Amino acid sequence: MERTFLMIKPDGVQRNLIGEVIKRLENKGFTLVGLKLMSVSQELAEKHYDVHKERPFFGSLVDFIISSPVVAMVWEGEGVVASARKIIGATDPLSAEPGTIRGDYGVSIGRNLIHGSDAIETAQREISLWFKEEELCHWQTTITPWLYE
Ligand code: IDP
């Protein structure tokens, strides 16, 4: 089953949006298989955003991610990578559609509340960066037959 990595960034945690984010993914029908509130080390933040290391905002982005706790999550379900990106919305909250998390709760690109893996390969890399295998639960919800044909 497909998996994705989501992280509620420090602003999402500070603004009491943990429950709201989890609710949206649960309501859609995805299954939570990993969850932890954590303070992020500089090394982990830099590795996570490695692809952006030459960008001008890299330093401030890393400083922001390590500034306050985040919620790291792994979600599972058919098509979860692309679907979670839709639920999250566009990178710039002012361009994100109403009804998306960023569209409903954000106003600036440097405070866009949540990260979601952008592709299946990225998700695999990010899940192994943030979680040990034993931190993930292998389980199936009893409503699975009511979610999938
Ligand atoms: P994504 O989070 O929607 O996948 P990316 O382009 O991968 O977007 O950028 C990673 C993160 O870097 C964004 O979520 C945002 O927090 C930050 N970021 C991207 N572009 C800018 C910018 O122009 N200024 C400040 N921060 C930015």
Side-chain angles (χ1 to χ4, degrees):
M1 187 63 94
E2 191 173 306
R3 285 177 171 181
T4 197
F5 171 73
L6 302 189
M7 180 218 338
I8 306 175
K9 296 180 183 181
D11 51 337
V13 175
Q14 291 282 356
R15 290 185 52 200
N16 301 318
L17 292 171
I18 298 172
E20 178 64 31
V21 168
I22 291 176
K23 189 180 87 169
R24 289 181 181 218
L25 274 291
E26 279 185 330
N27 284 355
K28 175 71 175 166
F30 294 127
T31 304
L32 187 59
V33 297
L35 173 72
K36 55 184 173 183
L37 177 75
M38 57 187 284
S39 297
V40 184
S41 68
Q42 173 133 0
E43 187 190 0
L44 176 57
E46 286 179 355
K47 274 191 194 156
H48 176 77
Y49 282 119
D50 185 58
V51 67
H52 295 305
K53 64 172 178 287
E54 306 302 335
R55 308 282 287 276
F57 58 81
F58 180 74
S60 58
L61 178 58
V62 168
D63 287 348
F64 169 57
I65 294 299
I66 68 176
S67 67
S68 185
V70 306
V71 173
M73 298 179 285
V74 178
W75 287 86
E76 195 172 80
E78 282 184 21
V80 69
V81 173
S83 181
R85 292 276 294 188
K86 281 191 193 157
I87 291 168
I88 290 170
T91 305
D92 180 354
L94 289 180
S95 306
E97 294 291 331
T100 64
I101 294 167
R102 288 168 172 169
D104 286 350
Y105 297 107
V107 285
S108 102
I109 196 164
R111 297 288 183 270
N112 64 3
L113 302 162
I114 178 164
H115 165 84
S117 308
D118 63 5
I120 291 175
E121 305 73 51
T122 322
Q124 287 162 352
R125 173 187 171 270
E126 291 175 350
I127 290 167
S128 54
L129 187 60
W130 287 81
F131 283 88
K132 297 186 188 117
E133 184 51 43
E134 62 267 27
E135 290 176 316
L136 301 176
C137 295
H138 297 267
W139 71 293
Q140 213 181 45
T141 149
T142 53
I143 61 166
T144 301
W146 305 103
L147 292 168
Y148 297 102
E149 207 177 7

